[in-house]
Amino acid sequence: VNDDLYHAAIMTRASAAADDCRLTDADVSATVDNPLCGDRVTLDLRLDGDRIAAIGHRVRGCALCRASVAVIGETASGKTRDEVMDAETAMRALLEAGDVPADRWSVFEIFRPVADHPSRHGCVLLPFEALRNALNSLR
Amino acid sequence: MTFNADAVRAEFPIFAKPYNGAALHYLDNAATSQVPKPVVDAVANWEMGARANIRRGVYRLAEQATEAYENARQSVARYLDADPSEVIFTSGGTAALNLVAHAFGDTLRPGDEVVISELEHHSNIVPWQMLRDRRGIGFKVFPVTGEGRVDLAALGNLITDKCRLVAVSHVSNVTGSMTFVSPIVGAARSVGAKVLLDGCQRVPHGPIDVPGLGADFYALSGHKMFGPTGIGALWARRDVLEQMPPFLGGGEMIRSVTMEGATYESPPRRFEAGTPPVAQAIGLGAACDWLMGLDWPAISANELRLKRRLLDGLGRIKGARVIGPTTLQARLGVISFHLEGAHPHDICQILDGHGVALRGGHLCAQPLMDRFGLTGVTRASISLYNDDNDIDAFFAGLEEAVERLT
């Protein structure tokens, strides 16, 4: 089962998000910590009207956390604030209940093996918490 | 002669059961040890055949319960080579440290200083920060050497006539280093300060002459030394205890109560308010009795051999760096390492696939992680039931982790 966690779709994204990619012209940033392990994620958002034009990041975290940051970058860019507000709910439902995500979040399926490891759910959800905090601070 | 861990391991029911269809290689002993059958039996026998509240009841069952509880105190005292009247049962190591921070802390005044070190567990940092904020005391910190020891070169600068307490780990839960206690005790004594040792990582590795260390307080945790969870103990010198006000108020710790006030019991009862964790205390006493019956020279030799294998093996892995002493002197089998390019949780996850239980992360020592410029480390910690199979499985798993994560 553990083998499934580190499949190619996860590891490719984990590598891609390993380096800092901060936005110098962000409209909003949010940083969250995982108190259990000390991991830290910072997300920057630049908006064009109501739409997310660009996402930057700095992540100090495990492969699952980094892959999650990469997936947010892939899926949230170009969407409106309202469109991304249910992203965290969709990911949580996948991890905790095995729910199939809506089409716009279909890439979340790469994290399905994590559902069997409750101690790792927080690794995937930490970047989503940062996204939520960033969006909420705009309101 | 090589120590055979099989006989000891046979006393631990958890190792008789397969773990995900294979053997369990338990190397997270610094977090929690496993529990041997004599301890389980002692708790179960009390719960099923001798359960009653202690001290107040005059019926025989209550008297037997009181006797069992006090016998447990004597067992812990024997293990520490101490007087039972100087042993206070707490709900754990953290509670023991907080007890001192409150009860001894209440005797401190603004401007007094407490000195800790950079390698402390959060439970020996946060209570002192809270005391600082409550009482306006000063707060100083020993730096840590490159090999993860309390840097005693700072003794003269840190321990001044304002110092009232030095509170440091006897053995680090991250680096495994043993703190050289004598110089600290000497410096503290010269200015009239007390010394507290967090002994949670030391006590699982054999009986110890705690009074002989020269310190004033010694905190320990039951679940790290083969006892139940929810129990720990604080040893303190009688004269120090006598001068400390209570921490928690309630039943058992008083002599009399009126609506105007209360008078308090003598130690150790003064510090055991309410019904204590009786079953857990009995379990801890049983653990101490069981430990006292083991062949410690043989166990220590086995642990030394396994430590050497871990340190030597990690030294051969490209990108691996031990956070702590790389030599065997004055260090216990708590071995943490950083593997370049791999996160501790990912390493632990892959090793779980090999049946190896490790701990990864900041290990409740974030200031020490900051000292080494790390977010977290991966830790393997040895106990008396570990053998070569555990170390073989560790390195097999680590090889896979290196291959997949770096």
Side-chain angles (χ1 to χ4, degrees):
Chain A
V1 174
N2 289 332
D3 287 349
D4 296 334
L5 284 183
Y6 300 104
H7 56 81
I10 292 277
M11 295 308 288
T12 304
R13 287 174 172 84
S15 296
D19 294 329
D20 287 3
C21 184
R22 300 293 306 271
L23 296 182
T24 54
D25 54 353
D27 292 304
V28 64
S29 297
T31 298
V32 291
D33 293 298
N34 184 338
L36 298 178
C37 58
D39 285 357
R40 171 174 288 183
V41 172
T42 299
L43 285 186
D44 305 316
L45 303 182
R46 189 174 73 239
L47 286 101
D48 180 6
D50 197 38
R51 202 165 288 278
I52 297 172
I55 299 178
H57 70 262
R58 177 170 189 262
V59 55
R60 190 179 69 181
C62 64
L64 300 179
C65 185
R66 299 197 308 271
S68 179
V69 166
V71 160
I72 287 174
E74 287 172 38
T75 55
S77 293
K79 288 190 172 63
T80 66
R81 281 195 273 172
D82 284 345
E83 284 172 338
V84 299
M85 282 307 279
D86 72 335
E88 182 180 4
T89 305
M91 181 59 86
R92 194 176 289 279
L94 168 70
L95 294 174
E96 295 176 359
D99 291 359
V100 175
D103 285 349
R104 63 183 178 281
W105 309 126
S106 59
V107 69
F108 289 5
E109 281 287 348
I110 68 171
F111 292 104
R112 183 168 290 278
V114 184
D116 290 336
H117 301 276
S119 66
R120 305 302 302 275
H121 291 184
C123 309
V124 179
L125 291 170
L126 191 68
F128 285 86
E129 187 184 343
L131 177 63
R132 168 169 36 97
N133 290 351
L135 292 170
N136 285 343
S137 67
L138 287 169
R139 289 180 184 276
Chain B
M1 185 177 128
T2 304
F3 174 69
N4 184 350
D6 286 351
V8 173
R9 186 187 287 258
E11 297 213 53
F12 289 78
I14 198 165
F15 295 122
K17 295 197 299 186
Y19 177 68
N20 293 330
L24 169 62
H25 302 288
Y26 191 77
L27 293 171
D28 194 20
N29 296 288
T32 290
S33 66
Q34 295 301 331
V35 64
K37 195 157 184 309
V39 172
V40 176
D41 289 346
V43 173
N45 289 340
W46 186 78
E47 293 284 20
M48 292 190 293
R51 183 181 164 98
N53 209 327
I54 59 168
R55 293 193 188 121
R56 302 290 177 204
V58 298
Y59 50 95
R60 278 169 294 171
L61 195 63
E63 289 178 342
Q64 288 163 6
T66 303
E67 185 180 0
Y69 181 73
E70 293 303 331
N71 284 345
R73 193 191 307 278
Q74 289 181 21
S75 295
V76 174
R78 274 196 299 276
Y79 193 74
L80 304 178
D81 205 10
D83 189 292
S85 69
E86 297 181 326
V87 174
I88 298 160
F89 282 122
T90 65
S91 63
T94 297
L97 294 165
N98 275 273
L99 192 165
V100 181
H102 279 266
F104 180 76
D106 277 354
T107 69
L108 302 187
R109 291 177 294 193
D112 289 345
E113 291 179 352
V114 170
V115 179
I116 66 166
S117 89
E118 213 170 17
L119 59 63
E120 299 310 309
H121 189 283
H122 292 166
S123 61
N124 198 29
I125 299 174
V126 180
W128 308 112
Q129 293 173 334
M130 293 165 70
L131 175 64
R132 174 197 62 194
D133 297 342
R134 248 187 353 260
R135 307 283 298 186
I137 62 159
F139 180 69
K140 288 181 172 175
V141 182
F142 271 107
V144 166
T145 67
E147 68 164 3
R149 294 188 189 280
V150 174
D151 187 355
L152 296 178
L155 262 181
N157 290 334
L158 291 176
I159 301 180
T160 67
D161 57 6
K162 290 182 180 174
C163 180
R164 292 291 172 269
L165 179 73
V166 183
V168 293
S169 293
H170 194 190
V171 174
S172 164
N173 75 307
V174 177
T175 69
S177 63
M178 293 190 74
T179 300
F180 298 111
V181 175
S182 296
I184 293 174
V185 168
R189 287 282 173 270
S190 71
V191 297
K194 306 291 188 241
V195 176
L196 179 154
L197 296 174
D198 173 357
C200 290
Q201 295 298 334
R202 165 59 185 84
V203 286
H205 298 278
I208 177 172
D209 174 8
V210 165
L213 294 169
D216 301 279
F217 302 99
Y218 200 88
L220 63 87
S221 163
H223 70 92
K224 294 185 197 297
M225 57 180 300
F226 316 99
T229 56
I231 189 70
L234 174 72
W235 169 86
R237 292 188 186 282
R238 179 87 191 179
D239 60 320
V240 177
L241 287 176
E242 294 280 7
Q243 292 166 21
M244 284 171 22
F247 167 32
L248 298 175
E252 308 293 346
M253 50 75 72
I254 53 89
R255 293 196 67 82
S256 70
V257 179
T258 66
M259 290 314 293
E260 284 70 43
T263 56
Y264 306 125
E265 268 284 13
S266 300
R269 289 187 190 177
R270 183 187 300 168
F271 302 102
E272 294 181 354
T275 297
V278 182
Q280 290 83 352
I282 287 167
L284 179 56
C288 288
D289 290 344
W290 181 77
L291 286 164
M292 294 282 280
L294 299 180
D295 180 355
W296 280 102
I299 290 169
S300 298
N302 187 56
E303 290 189 1
L304 182 73
R305 198 173 53 78
L306 299 181
K307 261 189 296 187
R308 183 179 290 122
R309 278 200 65 193
L310 280 174
L311 289 171
D312 289 352
L314 285 167
R316 286 193 290 271
I317 291 174
K318 191 180 172 193
R321 175 166 64 107
V322 170
I323 307 301
T326 51
T327 58
L328 295 166
Q329 283 77 36
R331 70 121 62 238
L332 293 183
V334 178
I335 296 173
S336 299
F337 62 97
H338 168 71
L339 180 61
E340 192 60 41
H343 190 282
H345 278 185
D346 296 326
I347 297 169
C348 292
Q349 192 81 56
I350 286 175
L351 267 85
D352 183 53
H354 292 253
V356 180
L358 299 177
R359 178 60 63 95
H362 55 57
L363 308 183
C364 295
Q366 285 184 304
L368 185 63
M369 297 300 130
D370 291 341
R371 158 68 178 80
F372 285 104
L374 301 170
T375 308
V377 293
T378 307
R379 180 183 70 191
S381 46
I382 297 166
S383 187
L384 43 80
Y385 38 62
N386 290 122
D387 61 14
D388 284 301
N389 293 329
D390 299 324
I391 309 302
D392 291 343
F394 169 81
F395 282 115
L398 195 56
E399 191 177 333
E400 184 191 338
V402 169
E403 188 181 313
R404 299 187 65 183
L405 299 174
T406 65

